[in-house]
Amino acid sequence: MRAQYLQDWIADPAAPMSWRLEKDKAGSGALGDIGAHVVDLTQHITGQRLTGVSALLETFVKERPLPAAAGSLSGVAGEGTGLVTVDDAAVFTARFTGGALGVFEATRFALGRKNAIRIEINGSRGSLAFDFEDMNVLHFFDGDEPGETAGFRRIVVTEPGHPYVGHWWPAGHGLGYEHGFTHQVVDLVTAIAQGADPAPSFADGLQVQRVLDAVERSAADQARWTEIPGDD
């Protein structure tokens, strides 16, 4: 399993401080802000949890201008400087309960990558790949096909039979970022109406936080392999 979440909105060292760069307010940097999403996504896709990690964290720009005024994500620079107390990049290897290996990366310093959530799964009989910057497309490789003609198949997921899509536009009309929030509300309300536990659950969120905690502890201990406690 390979998982990346790449952005570039803070790559400019002249971009000013914000609450996202202060550990006492944000908890962590790229790790908790965007790395949490790919941790959650990979565990959801596989149905397995991460059991241990070996991690590195790095802060590339350790001091930034204080903001003159709030505005966009990066704000407007003013007078004076402040200390950055969170990570700018997080990289770690991991193991899943089923024995699979995972490689994770999260940074807001990947110039040219605006919101690249990249997931690739390599199994014994095929592979799947997805990039959120091309969110209506899934790439699938069937390992059972003859080698002479085998290759990744580009699947445009805009047919009525694809999950959620049939409730929107005619076939071939793509969905956007905002539609995902509507789907979340539908799943939540449907679960409540059926008397079922909504997914994701509090336990799912807790598991993600356990992974992030283990990443920070590993990075603080020379990337030592760090186990992630289970539900017990």
Side-chain angles (χ1 to χ4, degrees):
M1 171 73 74
R2 298 178 183 83
Q4 299 174 311
Y5 200 152
L6 310 176
Q7 298 178 339
D8 70 354
W9 64 272
I10 203 69
D12 183 356
M17 289 289 297
S18 77
W19 67 268
R20 283 183 169 85
L21 304 178
E22 300 177 56
K23 188 173 180 62
D24 61 343
K25 297 182 178 68
S28 63
L31 173 64
D33 184 17
I34 56 180
H37 291 295
V38 287
V39 169
D40 177 58
L41 185 57
T42 55
Q43 293 185 132
H44 171 72
I45 291 172
T46 62
Q48 302 176 17
R49 68 175 181 85
L50 298 179
T51 61
V53 296
S54 174
L56 294 173
L57 300 176
E58 184 59 57
T59 303
F60 301 120
V61 179
K62 297 177 173 57
E63 192 170 335
R64 289 183 176 274
L66 295 174
S72 64
L73 279 175
S74 53
V76 178
E79 299 294 328
T81 60
L83 293 178
V84 176
T85 52
V86 299
D87 57 280
D88 287 328
V91 293
F92 59 97
T93 55
R95 188 181 295 278
F96 289 84
T97 48
L101 299 181
V103 180
F104 291 79
E105 180 183 7
T107 184
R108 301 175 292 201
F109 272 66
L111 278 171
R113 302 301 178 193
K114 302 305 178 183
N115 204 35
I117 304 174
R118 295 176 161 191
I119 303 292
E120 182 167 326
I121 308 171
N122 305 127
S124 59
R125 295 184 60 185
S127 295
L128 288 171
F130 172 77
D131 186 340
F132 189 72
E133 290 187 342
D134 195 10
M135 65 176 294
N136 286 280
V137 173
L138 181 68
H139 294 272
F140 167 61
F141 181 88
D142 185 348
D144 291 333
E145 290 185 353
E148 295 80 4
T149 56
F152 269 95
R153 181 186 308 161
R154 183 175 179 269
I155 304 171
V156 181
V157 289
T158 55
E159 294 299 309
H162 290 128
Y164 305 106
V165 178
H167 300 285
W168 292 99
W169 321 124
H173 292 64
L175 300 187
Y177 177 71
E178 70 280 9
H179 294 90
F181 294 94
T182 302
H183 302 159
Q184 289 178 358
V185 174
V186 169
D187 288 349
L188 175 63
V189 173
T190 300
I192 293 172
Q194 294 175 346
D197 289 333
S201 66
F202 179 87
D204 294 326
L206 175 59
Q207 167 61 16
V208 172
Q209 294 304 313
R210 286 171 168 165
V211 174
L212 302 186
D213 174 68
V215 168
E216 289 199 300
R217 288 188 287 116
S218 173
D221 192 20
Q222 298 183 328
R224 188 181 304 276
W225 181 257
T226 303
E227 300 287 338
I228 300 168
D231 292 338
D232 55 348

